[in-house]
């Protein structure tokens, strides 16, 4: 009886330890979650710039480079949101396994989806750091740089997180950034200090 109908065989390659030795850094995923207009993408961009200046290999995944490409076939239904996060988690895991720092910036509203992303990394022995960019719906709506909350209130945008779709707040995020009280620069310092305190940003041989 055929047990592998797709005839796919896993072919072992370099170990993560070998990559770490050769690239002089280890990988991890920094997962930023929060409401639209919380400041996730701005913080993620500044964090990426900082890490690259260290220098560390880092890459930011967000709606601009995922929703218009890899996940262009997905909408915003609960099922599509879950699949969106699953794909992002798998891509981030590959970046982390390659010994890069993957920085993801997505609303990722469901705890179960974020837990799956964490589990994928933990099973691969890769660090996963959840950063909750915490802001109230009122403050996010006041900012509303793209006018999305206004459109959601008018019914133009359906299933909009914080208005007509839920956001399940993290219960044990490693880092909590109070967006309404913290500048972008301060947020980057807060995240970097956490990472450095746990030895996650060591640059071996430099």
């Amino acid at each position: 009886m055929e047990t592998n109908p797709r005839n796919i065989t896993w072919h072992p390659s370099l170990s993560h330890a070998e990559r770490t030795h050769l690239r002089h850094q280890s990988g991890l995923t920094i997962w930023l979650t929060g409401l639209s207009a919380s400041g996730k993408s701005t913080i993620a961009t500044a964090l990426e710039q900082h890490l690259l200046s260290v220098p560390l290999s880092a890459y930011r995944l967000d709606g601009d480079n995922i929703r218009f490409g890899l996940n262009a076939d997905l909408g915003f239904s609960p099922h599509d949101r879950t699949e969106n996060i699953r794909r992002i988690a798998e891509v981030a895991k590959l970046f982390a396994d390659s010994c890069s720092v993957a920085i993801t910036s997505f609303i990722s509203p469901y705890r179960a989806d974020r837990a799956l992303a964490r589990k994928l990394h933990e099973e691969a022995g890769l660090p996963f750091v959840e950063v909750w960019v915490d802001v109230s719906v009122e403050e996010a709506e006041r900012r509303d740089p793209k006018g999305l909350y206004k459109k959601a209130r008018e019914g133009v945008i359906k299933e909009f997180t914080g208005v007509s779709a839920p956001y399940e707040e993290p219960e044990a995020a490693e880092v909590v950034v109070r967006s309404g009280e913290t500048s972008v620069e301060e947020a980057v310092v807060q995240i970097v200090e956490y990472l450095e305190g746990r030895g996650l940003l060591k640059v071996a041989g430099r």
Side-chain angles (χ1 to χ4, degrees):
M1 180 181 292
E2 187 177 41
T3 57
N4 184 3
R6 293 185 295 171
N7 295 309
I8 298 174
T9 302
W10 178 265
H11 182 72
S13 56
L14 285 174
S15 69
H16 183 70
E18 288 173 311
R19 288 195 186 92
T20 299
H21 173 72
L22 293 169
R23 297 199 63 190
H24 306 292
Q25 76 170 75
S26 58
L28 73 145
T29 289
I30 306 169
W31 190 280
L32 280 73
T33 175
L35 293 171
S36 178
S38 64
K40 298 183 304 300
S41 293
T42 304
I43 293 170
T45 299
L47 178 60
E48 181 186 28
Q49 290 173 332
H50 170 77
L51 294 178
L52 289 171
S53 72
V54 169
L56 285 166
S57 174
Y59 191 80
R60 176 174 48 88
L61 301 169
D62 63 17
D64 288 343
N65 56 24
I66 292 293
R67 278 286 188 178
F68 289 101
L70 176 66
N71 292 352
D73 59 320
L74 298 177
F76 293 92
S77 69
H79 174 272
D80 281 6
R81 286 178 184 269
T82 292
E83 176 61 13
N84 180 54
I85 296 305
R86 188 195 68 79
R87 293 183 193 178
I88 293 161
E90 291 283 5
V91 172
K93 186 184 75 171
L94 292 175
F95 271 93
D97 187 49
S98 77
C99 297
S100 291
V101 179
I103 305 168
T104 73
S105 173
F106 297 89
I107 295 172
S108 45
Y110 303 127
R111 292 192 191 104
D113 296 343
R114 299 193 300 267
L116 173 62
R118 183 185 294 276
K119 181 181 178 182
L120 287 171
H121 285 72
E122 290 177 344
E123 289 178 343
L126 299 167
F128 181 93
V129 176
E130 184 176 35
V131 178
W132 178 22
V133 183
D134 180 20
V135 69
S136 67
V137 173
E138 293 75 19
E139 173 61 18
E141 194 164 357
R142 185 191 66 78
R143 299 174 180 180
D144 201 14
K146 299 178 181 179
L148 300 179
Y149 284 91
K150 183 176 184 294
K151 291 180 180 179
R153 295 292 183 192
E154 294 171 346
V156 176
I157 300 178
K158 308 296 183 183
E159 298 183 287
F160 187 81
T161 304
V163 176
S164 50
Y167 178 78
E168 298 173 358
E169 297 180 350
E171 296 177 322
E174 282 79 7
V175 180
V176 179
V177 175
R178 307 295 182 190
S179 180
E181 309 164 7
T182 309
S183 69
V184 173
E185 294 76 13
E186 290 169 339
V188 170
V189 169
Q190 183 181 352
I191 296 167
V192 169
E193 286 182 346
Y194 175 88
L195 299 172
E196 289 179 338
R198 282 148 186 81
L200 296 174
L201 293 183
K202 292 180 179 178
V203 184
R206 294 180 185 170

